[in-house]
Amino acid sequence: MSSSSPTTSLSEAEQKSITTVQDAVEQSLETLRQMALLTVDVQEGTQGALIPKVKSLVSSLDAMDREKGNLERVPVPWDVIGLIDKGELPDEFTREKLEAVNMRTSSDGSKVQTFQDFRQMLLDELKKDGFQENA
């Protein structure tokens, strides 16, 4: 996966691959949770239940591996990769970016309102001096 421009549009095959990988990741995580429950209290007979879970995990990992060729053009920001390397959730990156955009939008909105108020004040002052509004 590369970190090219986020405006890159994805093909139908890439979208399908992303969905396949997401499903495989979810399946892998669920299988790992089930395996953890089986192995917490190891007893006679749990090995029989563990083998299908291992096979399911291998199958999910194989599905992810098969799709990697279709995902080479999918942009992934370096910040997200850094968060994953630190063991943090990429959702944190999304939340921080949304908060930054909201703050910027709020700030820009305040500036626009200030300029509109200033324009109106100037027009009012010009009217007092006898000028006509052209805008």
Side-chain angles (χ1 to χ4, degrees):
M1 290 185 212
S2 67
S3 62
S4 62
S5 169
T7 59
T8 303
S9 60
L10 300 177
S11 70
E12 190 174 319
E14 289 169 330
Q15 289 286 356
K16 185 176 183 265
S17 292
I18 289 172
T19 302
T20 301
V21 169
Q22 286 175 335
D23 292 344
V25 167
E26 289 173 11
Q27 179 63 42
S28 296
L29 291 173
E30 181 58 30
T31 301
L32 287 169
R33 279 191 279 277
Q34 292 171 1
M35 289 172 65
L37 291 173
L38 288 171
T39 57
V40 164
D41 188 26
V42 178
Q43 297 175 0
E44 293 281 331
T46 56
Q47 182 179 2
L50 191 58
I51 291 173
K53 300 296 179 194
V54 171
K55 288 181 180 180
S56 175
L57 179 61
V58 169
S59 175
S60 295
L61 294 172
D62 187 46
M64 285 186 262
D65 187 58
R66 281 191 309 268
E67 297 298 329
K68 70 181 177 187
N70 294 332
L71 299 174
E72 291 174 350
R73 274 186 356 105
V74 176
V76 178
W78 286 109
D79 294 342
V80 172
I81 293 172
L83 286 173
I84 292 169
D85 284 344
K86 291 180 197 173
E88 298 176 18
L89 296 175
D91 295 345
E92 182 70 20
F93 172 80
T94 304
R95 185 185 61 76
E96 289 173 4
K97 291 298 177 188
L98 286 174
E99 286 177 358
V101 167
N102 283 336
M103 288 181 67
R104 175 74 188 254
T105 301
S106 174
S107 173
D108 289 349
S110 297
K111 290 176 186 176
V112 168
Q113 185 61 47
T114 300
F115 278 112
Q116 287 174 342
D117 293 346
F118 181 68
R119 178 182 181 273
Q120 188 60 46
M121 183 187 72
L122 285 175
L123 288 173
D124 291 344
E125 289 296 318
L126 287 173
K127 284 181 184 177
K128 286 181 188 175
D129 293 337
F131 288 100
Q132 295 296 321
E133 181 181 349
N134 292 337

